[in-house]
Each structure stands twice: as structure tokens, then as C-alpha cells.
């Protein structure tokens, strides 16, 4: 999902198809759109449609009210009191607008001050949030192949989601500007909303606007971001806490990347920076272990094996890479043989690569003798090589295996069950490559450094500003897009006091980037997130009311 971001200064959304459907019979009726505050210049009007349903989680049936709709958000610098038209119009006011689509689920009968609310989004950048909505935490879940195979074509099955987070929190699934049913319009609209800081500002404004519209200011509050949603969360939580004086109870990060210099995609374009190879090695090894390519002495326990690999990666391997051209031939041969043992790659290939294997090279080479490409988002998946002679993988077999099920399921669910989308096009993702501004102003810097994007200072700033903020880091062992050890490495290099390291909790699963694509991992994911929210919502800590 992030390879093109590193190579082209933007990001790669999971899919790029469009989907459209006619109005279904019996769907809920949408509320008439309402214009935004500046009716004389509004490009969009907010709208919403309500419906009711129930979901059963852990044997408990939860009745809920769902709202599918849009909120209007303006870019930084917009003044809601400025005159937009006629004599005395403020020409400096930004003209662009975003209509941000969301689906919110509210448990019926739950007091808002005692009911947590979690804001959920995927990444891309430029991705809709259908993945987390239909695969992880919404009340309905689409069934996909759980064995690394391609999910057969429609009809797809939607089922009660026994792993929905509705047992512990109200949920708000948000589509990024331009993606899903969200839209942007107006002068310089791409510049206004497509960029690291512009995107984070937009989400910050959406969240505070939502809290106001639905009266949820005094609820326990959480962010949940996946993939590019994790750097977005780091910037948003710092914006909220230090800029808006809105403390959150927790931030949940799934498949994390905060420092893009650590990515093993595109790293060959930055010679001399070898940390990405080090943090990716345990995932290479996990993949080889899963495919029984680590040799006859393959350990039975994956976690024990990975501890061994992590130690090698941060000691002997790191020292060898640091030596560069000074590495002695005999030592290089020994390191190459160890790498080959751990990764399942041929020794001569590792030597020709100078001990440095990019993600795309690993995906293309691991099963090359069988004409197969290994999955990037989930290395349990494989697919036929597109080009047997290419150096790196040409596509991601997991994306190919699952995307149709998610696109179809969400389109059908949104239109038939939620009653939203009649006459509209749903965009699973939008191509933001050419317009995305990858520059970022770190906290306290006042300018954009000339460096690879790194939002670790933003998360550190938020944690220091609010020392009670808790962070939950989640990852899959088979994720080659955002390797799990990379996230661990980032967290252990945050510029925070040692006392705040205890505010971070780690959980890993035998799955990939979309941890929830593996049902056993999905159950564990639910249990870990639910426990985190219950532990940090402060509801039990409140003094008894009289």
C-alpha cells in the first residue's frame, strides 16, 4: 500500500476501481441535504440517513442506530464569519470544500458520557474505509478466503460480525476526502486536502465537528488508524491535544509506519540508510517459516524463531551492513548464508544483492522457481507471476484476492441496508499521487524539513502533552508493507521519557497487513482492542453520582 508513496512522493491505495449501483427497493430514505453555514457560497450540503439494526457479539445482542451521511469540512485558514460574496467579500478565504462521508453506529440506550466513541479510518493515502468497516469492526462482515487463496466471485456472503467493537464502543467509519462517498470541490481543492498536514487538519476538523453535531464531547474518545491511517493518527492526535485542547483516551495503530525512511520499499534509492533492511528481516523470516523454507531444523514455535531472527538482525546483520565496503569477504559470506537460512532465498542471490533485499525483490524471488509472486500485504497469499523476468513483484496477490469482495459487499450494504448512495459513485480509492504534498511541519519546527516523512515527533509530543494518553500498537507477522518489527523499532525510539514507554501496549498476530483477513487473528484483534478500550475509558474511575 505504501510502495508508490515512497517512490513517487504519494501513496498507493488498495484498489482503484469505481462502483455504482441503482437505488435498491426498500432502502431507508435519506434526509434532505442541509446547506453548510455559508449558504451563499457552499459547494456541498451535508446529508444523512438513519437506520436501525442489531449485532451479536460474545452472545450479547446490541441494538444500534446507524447514521450514514456527510459533514462539510473546510481547509486551514477558512473563516466561518467571512463574507463570501458581494461587496466586502473576503477574497483570502479558501474556496475549496470537502464533503466527508461517514457511517456512525450508536448503541441504543447508552448514556454518551459513559459510552466510548472510536473514530476509524484506513489509509492509502486516498483509501476509503470499507476495509475496516466490512472486514473488521462494523456490524456486518464479508466472508473471504482465509487460506491464502483468491476469494471466488459473487455472490459474496455478509454475516453478523461477532467481532464488532459495538460491545465496547460506538463507532464512526470515515472516508478520506475524495475517497468512498467523500468529495472535494472548489479552487485548489487538491492542494487544500491532499497532503500530510492538510489531510490531518481535515480529519481533526471532522472529528471536532462530529463531537459537536452528536453531543459526544464528554464521551471517552479513541482514534483507530490502519496503514497510512497510523501516521495520520500521530498528526491528528497532536493537533487535537496541543492545538484544540481535546484529550483522547487512546490511540490504536494497526500496521504502523511513522518513519518512512524505515520502509523497505524504495530503500535502494537512499543508499547508506540500512535500517529498513534490518527491521524487515523478521517478516522475511516469518514468511519463509510459514512456507517451510527455512530448512530442516525449522522451529515449531514462530515467536521463538522470530526472537532469534530479531537478535541477529539488530546485532550481526546490522554490524555487517554498517561496515559497507569494509566488510571482509569471509564475514560477508557467513552473513549471506545466515540470511539465506532465515529467508529461504538462495545464498548467491543474497550475495548479488549485497545483503540488501528490498520488499519487492523478496516478494518476487521467494517462490520464483514455482512461477509465483508472494503477497505484500499478506505473505500467506500467492499468485502467478505477471512478468517472470521482472526484478520486483508487479502486483499484490492479497489485494487481487480480496478487493472484489469488499467493493461489492460495501456497495450492496451501503445502498440496501444503510440507504445511502443512490445516484452516487463509490470510489474505493482515489489516485492522489501527483497532488499529494508529502511535506510535514513537525511540532515546534516552524518549517518543513528536507527529509523523508517522519511523524514520530508528533506522537511523542501528544504523549508528553497528555501523559495519560495510552497507545495500542497492532501488527501482523506476515505484513511486508509495514513490517511488525519496524513499528516496534519506531516506538522504542520515540523521544519520550522512559516512564511513558509503559503507556504503549503491543500485540501481534499470525496474519498480514489486514490482520482481520484471518479469522482467528480477527477474534484476538477484537479481544485486544476491546480490553484496551475497557481499561482506558475512565468510566469506572469516575466518582459515584449522588
Amino acid at each position: 500500500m505504501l510502495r508508490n508513496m515512497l517512490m513517487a512522493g504519494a501513496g498507493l491505495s488498495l484498489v482503484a476501481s469505481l462502483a455504482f449501483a441503482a437505488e435498491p427497493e426498500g432502502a431507508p430514505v435519506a434526509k434532505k441535504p442541509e446547506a453548510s453555514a455559508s449558504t451563499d457560497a457552499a459547494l456541498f450540503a451535508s446529508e444523512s440517513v438513519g437506520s436501525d439494526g442489531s449485532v451479536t457479539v460474545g452472545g450479547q445482542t446490541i441494538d444500534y442506530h446507524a447514521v450514514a451521511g456527510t459533514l462539510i469540512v473546510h481547509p486551514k485558514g477558512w473563516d466561518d464569519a467571512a463574507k463570501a460574496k458581494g461587496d466586502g467579500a473576503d477574497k483570502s478565504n479558501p474556496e475549496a470544500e470537502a464533503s466527508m462521508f461517514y457511517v456512525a453506529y450508536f448503541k441504543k440506550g447508552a448514556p454518551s458520557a459513559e459510552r466510548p466513541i472510536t473514530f476509524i479510518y484506513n489509509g492509502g493515502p486516498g483509501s476509503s474505509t470499507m476495509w475496516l468497516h466490512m472486514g473488521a469492526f462494523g456490524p456486518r462482515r464479508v466472508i473471504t478466503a482465509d487460506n491464502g487463496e483468491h476469494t471466488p466471485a459473487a455472490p459474496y456472503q455478509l454475516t453478523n460480525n461477532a467481532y464488532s467493537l459495538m460491545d465496547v464502543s460506538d463507532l464512526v467509519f470515515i472516508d478520506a476526502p475524495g475517497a468512498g462517498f467523500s468529495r472535494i470541490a472548489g479552487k485548489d481543492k487538491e492542494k487544500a486536502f491532499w497532503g500530510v498536514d492538510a489531510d490531518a487538519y481535515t480529519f481533526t476538523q471532522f472529528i471536532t465537528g462530529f463531537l459537536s453535531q452528536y453531543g459526544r464531547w464528554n464521551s471517552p474518545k479513541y482514534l483507530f488508524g490502519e496503514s497510512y491511517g497510523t501516521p495520520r493518527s500521530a498528526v491528528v492526535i497532536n493537533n487535537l491535544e496541543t492545538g484544540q485542547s481535546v484529550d483522547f483516551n487512546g490511540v490504536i495503530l494497526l500496521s504502523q509506519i511513522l518513519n518512512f525512511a524505515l520502509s523497505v520499499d524504495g530503500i535502494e534509492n537512499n543508499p547508506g540508510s540500512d535500517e529498513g533492511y534490518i527491521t524487515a528481516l523478521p517478516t522475511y523470516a516469518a514468511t519463509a517459516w510459514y512456507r517451510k523454507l527455512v530448512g530442516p531444523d525449522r522451529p515449531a514455535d514462530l515467536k521463538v524463531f522470530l526472537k532469534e531472527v530479531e537478535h541477529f538482525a539488530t546485532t550481526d546483520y546490522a554490524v555487517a551492513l554498517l561496515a559497507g565496503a569494509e566488510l571482509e569477504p569471509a564475514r560477508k559470506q557467513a552473513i549471506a548464508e545466515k540470511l539465506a537460512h532465515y529467508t529461504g532465498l538462495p545464498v548467491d542471490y543474497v550475495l548479488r544483492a549485497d545483503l540488501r533485499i528490498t520488499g519487492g525483490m523478496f516478494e518476487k524471488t521467494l517462490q520464483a522457481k514455482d512461477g509465483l509472486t508472494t503477497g505484500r500485504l499478506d505473505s500467506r497469499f500467492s499468485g502467478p507471476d505477471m512478468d517472470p523476468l521482472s526484478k520486483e513483484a508487479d502486483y499484490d496477490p492479497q489485494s487481487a484476492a480480496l478487493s472484489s469482495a469488499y467493493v461489492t459487499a460495501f456497495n450492496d450494504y451501503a445502498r440496501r441496508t444503510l440507504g445511502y448512495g443512490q445516484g452516487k459513485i463509490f470510489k474505493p480509492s482515489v489516485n492522489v499521487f501527483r497532488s499529494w504534498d508529502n511535506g510535514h511541519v513537525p511540532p515546534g519546527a516552524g518549517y518543513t524539513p528536507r527529509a523523508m516523512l517522519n511523524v514520530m515527533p508528533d506522537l511523542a509530543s501528544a504523549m508528553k502533552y497528555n501523559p495519560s494518553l495510552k497507545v495500542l500498537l497492532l501488527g501482523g507477522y506476515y505484513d511486508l508493507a509495514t513490517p511488525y518489527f519496524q513499528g516496534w523499532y519506531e516506538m522504542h525510539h520515540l523521544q519520550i521519557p522512559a516512564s511513558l514507554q509503559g503507556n504503549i501496549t503491543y500485540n501481534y498476530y499470525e496474519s498480514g497487513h489486514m490482520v482481520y483477513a484471518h479469522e482467528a487473528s480477527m477474534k484476538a484483534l477484537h479481544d485486544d482492542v476491546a480490553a484496551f478500550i475497557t481499561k482506558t475509558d475512565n468510566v469506572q474511575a469516575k466518582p459515584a453520582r449522588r
Side-chain angles (χ1 to χ4, degrees), residues 97-152:
E97 284 184 3
S99 173
M100 290 185 69
F101 175 73
Y102 66 93
V103 180
Y105 297 96
F106 305 106
K107 181 180 178 180
K108 291 185 177 180
S112 61
E114 299 178 4
R115 178 70 171 167
I117 188 163
T118 304
F119 296 94
I120 301 173
Y121 35 82
N122 280 101
S127 174
S128 69
T129 301
M130 66 178 183
W131 310 100
L132 285 167
H133 196 163
M134 304 308 295
F137 300 131
R140 297 293 179 268
R141 184 170 64 91
V142 63
I143 303 299
T144 57
D146 198 10
N147 57 359
E149 300 294 328
H150 195 108
T151 299

Side-chain angles (χ1 to χ4, degrees), residues 3 262-268 273-285 317 321 335-336 338-340 342-366 391-392 480 483:
R3 178 171 296 148
L262 294 178
S263 176
V264 78
D265 290 320
I267 191 172
E268 71 276 14
S273 178
D274 291 326
E275 288 171 292
Y277 299 113
I278 296 167
T279 57
L281 179 57
T283 298
Y284 295 168
Y317 183 44
L321 295 181
I335 294 295
K338 196 72 170 178
L339 283 172
Y342 284 143
T343 64
L345 298 174
V347 175
D348 67 322
Y349 181 84
V350 175
L351 285 169
R352 284 186 285 116
D354 198 27
L355 310 181
R356 294 161 174 85
I357 313 296
T358 68
M361 292 165 61
F362 179 81
E363 294 149 23
K364 180 56 191 273
T365 307
L366 183 65
K391 177 182 177 182
E392 296 192 332
L480 288 168

Side-chain angles (χ1 to χ4, degrees), residues 482-493:
T482 57
Y484 80 91
F485 195 56
Q486 173 186 305
W488 183 96
Y489 185 91
E490 289 170 340
M491 289 304 200
H492 286 79
H493 287 78

